[in-house]
Amino acid sequence: MTDRSHAAIEQRVLRRIEYDPNGGCWLWPGACLDSGYGVVKVGVGQNDMTHRVMFRHFKGQIPDGLEIDHRCRVKTCCNPVHLEAVTGLVNTGRWAAEKTHCANGHEFDEQNTHRYGPGLRYRACRACGRARRQKRLARPEVREQFNRQRRKGK
């Protein structure tokens, strides 16, 4: 793609942005992927995500091995001030650190959080773990195997 076509795509994105006066986000009102990220056509049968287009326009190429993190956590935002090139591990870690509840709505607090993995960076919900164990032990074949192992241990 030529520099001219890059510039035309960037200008098309800039013309359509809606500015959020409260959070400072530059919101993309156009097409979005199922994941929620804004997308723009960049060629015949080719699309690119709007936040990546705007990052390259204002900050330069995205370094190899890095991805763009939305510091504001708004997937349709393409404000370059809110975008940062980071590793996938950093991006995922930031997202996870901001999660306050598990998928089932239990709070990640000191008592309900099991930390594991290298540097204890991962966490799991203890309440969900207990529910999974109870459901598993409710199956007769699992309960019998559990009881046999307990009897052997005595």
Side-chain angles (χ1 to χ4, degrees):
M1 197 176 321
T2 66
D3 288 339
R4 182 179 170 140
S5 60
H6 276 294
I9 292 163
E10 293 157 356
Q11 289 306 313
R12 189 168 22 134
V13 172
L14 283 168
R15 278 194 310 271
R16 293 197 57 200
I17 288 172
E18 295 175 357
Y19 300 95
D20 175 13
N22 300 322
C25 290
W26 296 4
L27 303 173
W28 174 249
C32 291
L33 299 171
D34 289 341
S35 59
Y37 293 100
V39 66
V40 63
K41 188 172 184 166
V42 295
V44 178
Q46 295 180 321
N47 296 319
D48 199 359
M49 290 181 272
T50 52
H51 64 282
R52 295 174 60 86
V53 170
M54 298 312 291
F55 184 92
R56 286 191 295 264
H57 177 71
F58 286 99
K59 295 186 174 184
Q61 288 299 315
I62 300 167
D64 288 342
L66 299 184
E67 55 190 50
I68 304 303
D69 180 20
H70 289 81
R71 297 305 310 265
C72 58
R73 296 292 168 245
V74 177
K75 291 181 177 183
T76 58
C77 179
C78 47
N79 181 343
V81 174
H82 295 185
L83 306 175
E84 181 181 5
V86 297
T87 65
L89 186 63
V90 168
N91 194 5
T92 304
R94 286 176 177 171
W95 173 84
E98 292 174 3
K99 268 182 84 173
T100 59
H101 291 72
C102 76
N104 292 316
H106 304 119
E107 187 174 6
F108 280 126
D109 60 16
E110 180 106 9
Q111 294 163 336
N112 188 46
T113 305
H114 169 67
R115 295 197 171 273
Y116 64 99
L120 300 177
R121 79 174 86 168
Y122 305 114
R123 56 190 181 166
C125 174
R126 290 185 188 275
C128 289
R130 281 191 298 274
R132 278 192 307 276
R133 268 190 307 283
Q134 288 172 346
K135 186 176 180 182
R136 192 171 58 246
L137 289 173
R139 294 178 18 218
E141 67 275 11
V142 175
R143 173 56 85 183
E144 182 55 39
Q145 180 183 12
F146 176 76
N147 287 335
R148 272 197 310 271
Q149 288 174 347
R150 279 186 50 196
R151 285 192 295 267
K152 273 186 184 177
K154 287 186 177 181

